């Protein structure tokens, strides 16, 4: 079901995806994937350790059923147990992938302290000593939308800001 929804989003000009994102998405969804009717079969297709994949998916499914991601803190509204195949995997490797660049980048994920670049704890709202975020992994100029070339300046500035603060500690 999720596969079909992703494919429909890539074909829908009103989905909120840019045209190049839709084209890359379609190429990856239809040309750059492995499929398995079970997690073991998918792991074999991907040349992965099947017991590690099955353990990881089992933990995720338990968390999804309980409505709380205990590993990464994923928002519960996005948790869906993955129990019925077929299952798919897309190769997002940046090296040797003929479908690169794949549509995967972070835009403004981690909230940081403006003067230092220190990551702000979601629980306390205070900076976390020694933990910094910069570039596209942090909230910045291109947090909601990416314009080609805009990230370079933001990444240099935020990386330098974090480096300066870390070096002064």
């Amino acid at each position: 079901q999720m596969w079909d929804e992703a494919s429909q989003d890539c074909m829908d000009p009103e989905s909120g995806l840019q045209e190049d994102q839709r084209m890359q998405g379609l190429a990856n969804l239809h040309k750059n994937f492995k499929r398995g009717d079970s997690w073991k079969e998918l792991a074999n297709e991907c040349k992965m350790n099947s017991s590690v994949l099955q353990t990881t998916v089992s933990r995720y499914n338990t968390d999804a059923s309980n409505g709380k991601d205990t590993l990464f803190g994923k928002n519960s509204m996005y948790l869906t147990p993955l129990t019925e195949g077929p299952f798919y995997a897309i190769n997002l490797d940046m090296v040797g992938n003929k479908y690169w660049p794949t549509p995967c980048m972070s835009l403004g994920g981690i909230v940081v302290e403006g003067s230092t670049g220190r990551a702000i704890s979601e629980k306390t709202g205070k900076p976390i000593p020694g933990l910094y975020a910069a570039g596209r992994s942090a909230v910045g100029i291109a947090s909601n939308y990416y314009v080609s070339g805009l990230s370079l300046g933001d990444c240099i500035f935020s990386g330098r800001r974090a480096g300066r603060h870390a070096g002064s500690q």
Side-chain angles (χ1 to χ4, degrees):
Q1 177 183 344
M2 281 191 260
W3 191 262
D4 293 335
E5 288 175 17
S7 189
Q8 288 171 356
D9 279 350
C10 287
M11 295 180 17
D12 180 5
E14 302 299 317
S15 67
L17 296 172
Q18 298 298 311
E19 186 173 348
D20 62 320
Q21 293 172 319
R22 292 197 322 267
M23 303 293 22
Q24 290 171 337
L26 284 170
N28 278 292
L29 285 169
H30 296 282
K31 299 285 186 185
N32 187 30
F33 70 93
K34 300 288 184 189
R35 180 187 184 277
D37 289 323
S38 67
W39 289 113
K40 183 175 183 174
E41 189 178 310
L42 181 62
N44 290 336
E45 286 291 320
C46 295
K47 297 178 176 54
M48 297 171 65
N49 181 321
S50 64
S51 64
V52 171
L53 180 60
Q54 288 176 309
T55 299
T56 302
V57 172
S58 178
R59 179 176 180 173
Y60 171 82
N61 284 341
T62 298
D63 284 357
S65 294
N66 293 333
K68 182 169 176 64
D69 182 354
T70 60
L71 191 57
F72 297 109
K74 184 177 181 181
N75 188 316
S76 62
M77 69 187 265
Y78 299 114
L79 294 173
T80 302
L82 305 172
T83 55
E84 294 183 33
F87 303 107
Y88 297 86
I90 295 176
N91 177 8
L92 295 178
D93 193 344
M94 298 299 215
V95 177
N97 183 353
K98 67 181 179 180
Y99 295 100
W100 187 90
T102 53
C104 58
M105 74 162 74
S106 172
L107 291 176
I110 301 170
V111 175
V112 296
E113 183 179 49
S115 61
T116 66
R118 289 189 298 177
I120 301 292
S121 168
E122 212 173 273
K123 290 182 181 176
T124 67
K126 297 182 182 191
I128 301 168
L131 183 61
Y132 296 85
R136 294 293 46 88
S137 64
V139 169
I141 294 171
S143 290
N144 296 312
Y145 186 78
Y146 178 74
V147 176
S148 185
L150 183 60
S151 288
L152 185 58
D154 194 26
C155 290
I156 290 170
F157 168 77
S158 62
R160 189 172 183 203
R161 174 187 61 195
R164 274 190 177 159
H165 188 269
S168 72
Q169 300 301 298

